[in-house]
Amino acid sequence: MGRTLFDKIWDNHVVYQEKDAAHGNPSLIYIDCHLIHEVTSPQAFAGLKQHGRKVRRPDLTFATMDHNVPTTNRSIPVIDSDSSIQMHTLRENCNEFGITLFDMLSPQQGIVHVIGPELGLTLPGMTIVCGDSHTSTHGAFGAFALGIGTSDVEHVFATQCLWMHKPKSLNIKFSGTISHRPGISAKDIILSTIRQIGISGGIGSVIEYSGDGISTLSMDQRMTICNMSIEGGARAGLIAPDDVTFDYIRGRPFAPSGEKLEKMIEYWESFLTTDSETCHDKSVKMDLSRLVPQVSWGTNPSMVIDVTENIPYPEVFADGNVEQEKSAKRALEYMGLEPGVPITEINIDRVFIGSCTNARLEDLVDASRVLEGRTVSSSVNAMVVPGSQSVKRAAEEKGIDRIFKKAGFDWRESGCSMCLGMNPDILAPKQRCASTSNRNFEGRQGFGGRTHLVSPIMAAAAAVEGKFVDVREWF
Amino acid sequence: MKYFKFICDKAIPLDIINVDTDQIIPKQFLKMVKKEGYGEFLFYNWRYQDDGTLLTDFVLNDKRYSGRRILLTRDNFGSGSSREHAVWALKDFGIIVLIAPSFADIFYNNCFKNGILPVKLKSQEVEFLFKNSENEEIVVDLDKQEVACCDQSFSFLINGFNKRMLMQGLDEIGLTLELESAIGEYESKRGIHSST
């Protein structure tokens, strides 16, 4: 019988299979790479110490600071004492347990899901966990990567394993591509996908993305897609590795090299594929040929429309579902929007280009394309927060920073920043933001803040115009 | 306490779908390095006004529901962030059973690690409870996998692993460490990483 890509990774990692049905038959799954950060690890370390336990594999555990770090001048001390304590706690724990830490001032510091791949820690066929829901990002390499809670972080520390019940496999196959269609990006693909499957459409499943629409994407674009798998409720996202993946991995500092890598590539290429589409538990087909730029209007990532559309009426959005209708009404009220109004008539106050979804080099290059010779609207405050110090340096070498700065953007240090606003980068109540992040939940970017999820190029164009525009018209 | 077997209580009706973990515990309260003390911040943005006074129209502030330990809610509860602080906040507030038609995966998993039982019932069963639990008690029996209210009873599914962990209040890490030899054996066969 054929197996899916996910089946194969799973089978490779079963350490022990519980056979007593009364115990629910979970599998003990080995974890190849454990990424940690300052927010969800302190209680896990405290639990270890309380029981006198050790980190079983510090060599497979890597830490960085990203959620709390300021994105302004880092030579001055962190003002927020709680943030400072949390960062200090991570430093002490990594020191005590022998874990490699990319500290705030490290040249490799960055958002955990940006630095994992760029350091070559993320490889095809691996199991990767992190106490962060956007761990799904790493699935772009054909790795089974999932977010876990702090209790599970402690479990992985102590055992390098996790008990799991095998998720189902959902295939989303894209026909048509976004190649040679300026103004359309991977963010539009995933937003339109979540719009279709809903934010709970992926519950209990691992999504394998496939088809021409995926294989023609770069790694940065694939990571944007897999990153938001969790917004569709999925346990993880997966894309089968190919030459694009292997080319990305070659030369990364922590990745194998030379003949060893080539042998691994040979294995990955032959093994890490789904044998037949019929192996999946469920399949969805999507056509990208008519995809247009997407903008979210509500307070969850399925509340999305085409930039050419009007803000929906709750009853139309809900399509007969009472709960959805209530939810849409509540969302419109929170967002301060009226149904029937074109989204292009909505003025914005802030622009945030950043986050583990859209702060890689290609995202910044893409956004900068529409900024040359243009300036940010006088009514807009715009900022760029590169995903990592490496992304920041690479962008500066290309002169991308100068394009942003000349246009009127703030050019910041790397971190999670205003994606969740744990550091000082937050929206004021009722401020409206075009954001390249992943969640438009109430209060996500600041109490009372209003988030519209868009692609980097749409965010850049919105910064210039002070409102949403169909960026395709600029090409 | 990480174990749960049985409860008989009325419910707090939180009639909202897709309640995400950013609502359950907003980000400004994720900066602590301990597991306790989150209860007062539970649903902070829905419970308090800007000046810190209580918003009286939110169910958690309604005196009728004060002290209740079952939270009745709608589809996809706990979506979004993996923050276990959401579960710690519910626990610290006094909630030990959640009833909804569905839960987000990471949140659902986090509940069992902290002695909270998330019960999945059919939408129409949850609807029945919304209609009756205001004044009627709900009995939740984990061993029987049954929820009863008025003259109705509904059975629910839960995997045996999670059930056993909760019923016996077991230390999951301790159990896994008993499999040390299996883990060691796996590691000895594993190459640079087990994808090869």
Side-chain angles (χ1 to χ4, degrees):
Chain A
M1 206 177 103
R3 289 188 294 167
T4 62
L5 165 58
F6 174 59
D7 289 333
K8 293 177 185 179
I9 301 174
W10 178 273
D11 292 348
N12 267 3
H13 289 84
V14 177
V15 171
Y16 176 82
Q17 180 61 52
E18 175 64 67
K19 292 194 178 69
D20 186 343
H23 291 177
N25 304 115
S27 310
L28 189 64
I29 297 294
Y30 198 80
I31 304 302
D32 296 318
C33 179
H34 187 191
L35 304 170
I36 63 170
H37 61 82
E38 77 277 21
V39 178
T40 56
S41 65
Q43 295 86 351
F45 279 117
L48 275 190
K49 290 182 206 173
Q50 195 189 332
H51 291 91
R53 290 167 178 154
K54 289 190 163 41
V55 174
R56 183 182 179 90
R57 295 298 299 265
D59 58 325
L60 304 181
T61 312
F62 298 88
T64 194
M65 300 179 183
D66 53 6
H67 284 62
N68 273 289
V69 295
T71 56
T72 47
N73 187 351
R74 287 189 176 159
S75 58
I76 54 172
V78 176
I79 300 162
D80 181 334
S81 63
D82 290 339
S83 291
S84 182
I85 290 169
Q86 212 166 43
M87 289 156 65
H88 181 67
T89 305
L90 179 64
R91 211 169 278 137
E92 294 219 308
N93 282 326
C94 287
N95 193 28
E96 181 178 345
F97 289 95
I99 294 166
T100 304
L101 166 67
F102 304 106
D103 208 330
M104 186 172 74
L105 296 176
S106 157
Q108 279 117 7
Q109 182 273 345
I111 306 174
V112 63
H113 310 308
V114 175
I115 68 168
E118 74 186 11
L119 290 172
L121 294 169
T122 305
L123 297 174
M126 274 186 163
T127 48
I128 300 175
V129 296
C130 175
D132 189 284
S133 62
H134 292 108
T135 309
S136 58
T137 311
H138 308 263
F141 291 78
F144 174 41
L146 70 160
I148 56 176
T150 297
S151 295
D152 277 347
V153 170
E154 185 181 340
H155 193 280
V156 176
F157 278 157
T159 68
Q160 203 56 33
C161 296
L162 274 183
W163 289 104
M164 278 191 260
H165 292 83
K166 193 176 172 187
K168 296 211 176 310
S169 179
L170 165 63
N171 180 217
I172 302 184
K173 189 175 182 183
F174 298 91
S175 59
T177 76
I178 60 165
S179 309
H180 313 296
R181 293 178 64 201
I184 313 279
S185 73
K187 184 65 162 287
D188 301 310
I189 297 180
I190 191 63
L191 283 173
S192 68
T193 302
I194 296 163
R195 179 182 174 181
Q196 177 162 331
I197 68 169
I199 58 169
S200 54
I203 286 186
S205 302
V206 169
I207 300 176
E208 183 181 338
Y209 303 97
S210 65
D212 294 343
I214 295 296
S215 60
T216 48
L217 298 178
S218 67
M219 286 317 295
D220 283 4
Q221 292 171 318
R222 293 180 192 186
M223 283 189 257
T224 298
I225 307 256
C226 285
N227 171 275
M228 289 190 71
S229 302
I230 181 70
E231 310 315 330
R235 208 72 187 89
L238 266 182
I239 293 173
D242 59 14
D243 287 339
V244 177
T245 324
F246 310 140
D247 286 344
Y248 179 101
I249 292 166
R250 289 190 181 96
R252 302 276 162 188
F254 283 82
S257 59
E259 203 179 319
K260 192 183 204 172
L261 177 62
E262 296 314 313
K263 273 195 167 166
M264 287 168 87
I265 288 174
E266 218 171 278
Y267 168 79
W268 292 333
E269 206 165 18
S270 62
F271 184 68
L272 292 177
T273 55
T274 289
D275 295 334
S276 153
E277 280 176 22
T278 56
C279 303
H280 295 288
D281 296 296
K282 197 179 163 194
S283 293
V284 173
K285 291 200 184 333
M286 289 197 59
D287 177 13
L288 299 180
S289 60
R290 288 174 186 213
L291 183 67
V292 306
Q294 305 287 299
V295 183
S296 78
W297 55 269
T299 53
N300 75 49
S302 71
M303 293 173 164
V304 169
I305 50 175
D306 294 353
V307 70
T308 51
E309 287 183 296
N310 299 343
I311 292 155
Y313 287 88
E315 56 275 24
V316 176
F317 170 78
D319 196 22
N321 182 319
V322 181
E323 294 303 321
Q324 288 285 8
E325 189 174 332
K326 262 168 59 183
S327 164
K329 278 182 184 157
R330 187 186 169 95
L332 287 175
E333 192 183 332
Y334 177 85
M335 294 294 289
L337 296 172
E338 289 297 326
V341 177
I343 192 79
T344 48
E345 286 180 12
I346 304 302
N347 295 322
I348 56 160
D349 311 300
R350 303 281 297 265
V351 168
F352 171 64
I353 297 181
S355 87
C356 57
T357 312
N358 276 133
R360 296 180 181 79
L361 185 59
E362 207 177 303
D363 297 315
L364 305 193
V365 170
D366 209 25
S368 73
R369 284 169 67 203
V370 293
L371 291 175
E372 275 190 275
R374 293 190 171 104
T375 50
V376 171
S377 163
S378 59
S379 59
V380 172
N381 175 325
M383 67 196 283
V384 186
V385 182
S388 69
Q389 290 296 306
S390 301
V391 168
K392 183 168 182 265
R393 279 193 304 275
E396 287 168 352
E397 277 163 27
K398 281 176 169 281
I400 301 294
D401 61 320
R402 289 197 298 276
I403 299 173
F404 277 113
K405 285 189 263 190
K406 201 175 165 198
F409 271 82
D410 255 3
W411 179 255
R412 299 291 186 93
E413 300 293 335
S414 52
C416 300
S417 180
M418 208 164 70
C419 174
L420 85 166
M422 275 192 78
N423 74 350
D425 307 337
I426 53 169
L427 295 179
K430 298 195 177 171
Q431 267 192 336
R432 191 178 297 285
C433 181
S435 177
T436 67
S437 55
N438 40 58
R439 287 188 178 135
N440 49 349
F441 296 154
E442 286 182 28
R444 171 81 177 176
Q445 296 191 292
F447 177 73
R450 294 162 172 171
T451 303
H452 293 270
L453 304 175
V454 287
S455 70
I457 200 165
M458 281 288 286
V464 170
E465 291 295 319
K467 57 183 187 165
F468 295 107
V469 287
D470 187 345
V471 72
R472 292 177 303 170
E473 292 166 3
W474 290 20
F475 291 93
Chain B
M1 275 206 313
K2 287 191 174 177
Y3 73 89
F4 173 88
K5 285 178 182 167
F6 179 92
I7 192 174
C8 176
D9 200 355
K10 291 172 186 168
I12 305 171
L14 181 63
D15 192 3
I16 302 175
I17 55 165
N18 301 322
V19 173
D20 60 74
T21 51
D22 274 79
Q23 308 317 315
I24 300 173
I25 185 85
K27 73 293 194 91
Q28 63 267 38
F29 308 112
L30 308 184
K31 294 186 184 185
M32 293 192 280
V33 293
K34 51 185 187 160
K35 285 187 179 181
E36 303 80 24
Y38 295 90
E40 60 179 307
F41 310 123
L42 179 71
F43 289 109
Y44 189 85
N45 294 344
W46 290 354
R47 266 169 79 201
Y48 300 98
Q49 309 202 57
D50 295 354
D51 62 3
T53 53
L54 289 177
L55 283 159
T56 48
D57 59 349
F58 184 58
V59 285
L60 262 69
N61 294 335
D62 189 326
K63 286 202 174 65
R64 283 176 297 169
Y65 308 130
S66 162
R68 295 188 180 187
R69 312 195 74 190
I70 300 174
L71 185 69
L72 180 64
T73 184
R74 298 287 185 181
D75 260 312
N76 198 25
F77 187 81
S79 56
S81 159
S82 63
R83 57 186 75 166
E84 197 161 313
H85 310 68
V87 176
W88 299 333
L90 287 161
K91 178 89 179 179
D92 201 44
F93 186 81
I95 305 292
I96 52 172
V97 171
L98 303 164
I99 302 176
S102 64
F103 296 90
D105 286 328
I106 305 176
F107 175 85
Y108 183 78
N109 196 35
N110 286 343
C111 285
F112 292 102
K113 321 282 177 179
N114 294 281
I116 289 186
L117 173 66
V119 177
K120 290 184 216 174
L121 291 181
K122 295 188 182 81
S123 291
Q124 64 268 30
E125 295 167 348
V126 169
E127 192 58 47
F128 176 86
L129 294 179
F130 264 103
K131 285 195 178 120
N132 293 285
S133 66
E134 181 112 8
N135 303 310
E136 300 294 334
E137 289 190 322
I138 299 176
V139 175
V140 180
D141 187 328
L142 175 56
D143 191 28
K144 286 191 194 162
Q145 297 181 214
E146 193 178 85
V147 172
C149 181
C150 306
D151 55 348
Q152 299 276 317
S153 70
F154 313 119
S155 62
F156 62 90
L157 293 174
I158 178 173
N159 76 62
F161 182 75
N162 286 334
K163 181 175 178 178
R164 177 168 159 246
M165 287 291 156
L166 267 191
M167 293 281 293
Q168 299 177 26
L170 296 174
D171 168 21
E172 193 179 317
I173 296 175
L175 277 182
T176 310
L177 287 173
E178 288 173 19
L179 292 167
E180 162 61 37
S181 62
I183 300 170
E185 193 187 339
Y186 180 89
E187 284 178 328
S188 68
K189 289 182 192 160
R190 174 179 178 272
I192 295 176
H193 64 78
S194 35
S195 73
T196 55

